[in-house]
């Protein structure tokens, strides 16, 4: 199928916002959770993949060059330590706002991450291999993280861990 033309004025507006993001954060690795730029950056990366694989012209060579000149990366290597640290920061914000680390599963991404940390700890207790380190355990405990909970202290009913 032919390429869908890009909205050049939107691309230019977002390019300017991306430069501001880079100047503020020191990089162009906009997280998807950034409502203003995240979806646009994801779309750019998808369009670039099509451009590379299918000679799709929805991204011009000039626009690609401009993005690369400001440090835009087309692929982001997975850094597990950075990903863990980012989730920990979100949990810390949650704990500061809510007074605890009991993140319900309705907070999908963070709730699942918290549940996963507890499952990794449980593995360690049973002598199984786990990527959870003593340093991470200490970090979590420093913000009031509890490993074993049977009931949410503020709500009746079981909490599944």
């Amino acid at each position: 199928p032919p390429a869908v033309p890009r909205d050049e004025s939107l691309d230019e507006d977002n390019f300017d916002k991306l430069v501001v993001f880079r100047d503020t954060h020191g990089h162009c690795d906009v997280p998807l959770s950034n409502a203003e730029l995240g979806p646009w950056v994801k779309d750019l990366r998808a369009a670039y993949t099509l451009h590379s694989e299918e000679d799709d012209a929805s991204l011009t060579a000039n626009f690609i060059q401009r993005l690369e000149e400001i440090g835009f990366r087309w692929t982001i290597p997975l850094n597990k330590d950075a990903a863990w640290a980012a989730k920990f920061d979100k949990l810390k914000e949650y704990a500061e706002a809510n007074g605890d680390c009991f993140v319900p599963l309705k907070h999908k991404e963070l709730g699942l991450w918290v549940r996963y940390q507890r499952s990794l700890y449980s593995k360690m207790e049973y002598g199984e291999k786990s990527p959870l380190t003593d340093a991470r355990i200490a970090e979590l405990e420093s913000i009031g993280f509890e490993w074993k909970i049977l009931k949410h202290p503020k709500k009746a009913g079981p909490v599944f861990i």
Side-chain angles (χ1 to χ4, degrees):
V4 176
R6 295 191 60 83
D7 181 340
E8 289 183 30
S9 66
L10 177 65
D11 280 346
E12 287 303 319
D13 288 346
N14 283 336
F15 180 87
D16 293 341
K17 291 174 186 174
L18 182 61
V19 170
V20 171
F21 180 93
R22 185 218 41 209
D23 292 346
T24 302
H25 299 281
H27 59 79
C28 295
D29 301 338
V30 179
L32 190 55
S33 60
N34 179 309
E36 187 173 37
L37 287 173
W40 178 73
V41 165
K42 180 181 178 186
D43 180 58
L44 277 181
R45 289 192 173 112
Y48 182 77
T49 300
L50 280 176
H51 176 85
S52 301
E53 293 174 358
E54 300 177 11
D55 200 26
D56 179 345
S58 68
L59 285 177
T60 66
N62 179 49
F63 194 61
I64 290 170
Q65 181 180 354
R66 287 176 57 214
L67 286 163
E68 290 173 349
E69 285 172 356
I70 66 165
F72 187 81
R73 299 188 301 173
W74 296 105
T75 58
I76 307 274
L78 179 62
N79 180 331
K80 291 181 181 181
D81 289 333
W84 192 93
K87 288 283 193 300
F88 176 79
D89 288 344
K90 286 190 180 293
L91 177 61
K92 194 173 179 180
E93 289 172 14
Y94 178 91
E96 289 168 359
N98 295 281
D100 62 50
C101 294
F102 300 110
V103 182
L105 288 177
K106 72 179 181 182
H107 294 272
K108 294 186 188 323
E109 192 175 329
L110 186 58
L112 289 171
W113 183 81
V114 164
R115 180 192 229 178
Y116 181 62
Q117 300 311 301
R118 287 193 176 103
S119 73
L120 294 176
Y121 186 83
S122 183
K123 278 184 163 186
M124 285 179 62
E125 285 190 310
Y126 288 104
E128 297 176 36
K129 280 184 82 171
S130 170
L132 193 60
T133 64
D134 290 339
R136 287 181 176 176
I137 290 169
E139 270 191 277
L140 287 163
E141 289 176 349
S142 76
I143 61 169
F145 193 87
E146 294 183 41
W147 298 104
K148 300 221 180 240
I149 53 174
L150 298 177
K151 290 185 181 268
H152 189 290
K154 296 179 184 173
K155 298 178 183 170
V159 173
F160 300 99
I161 57 175

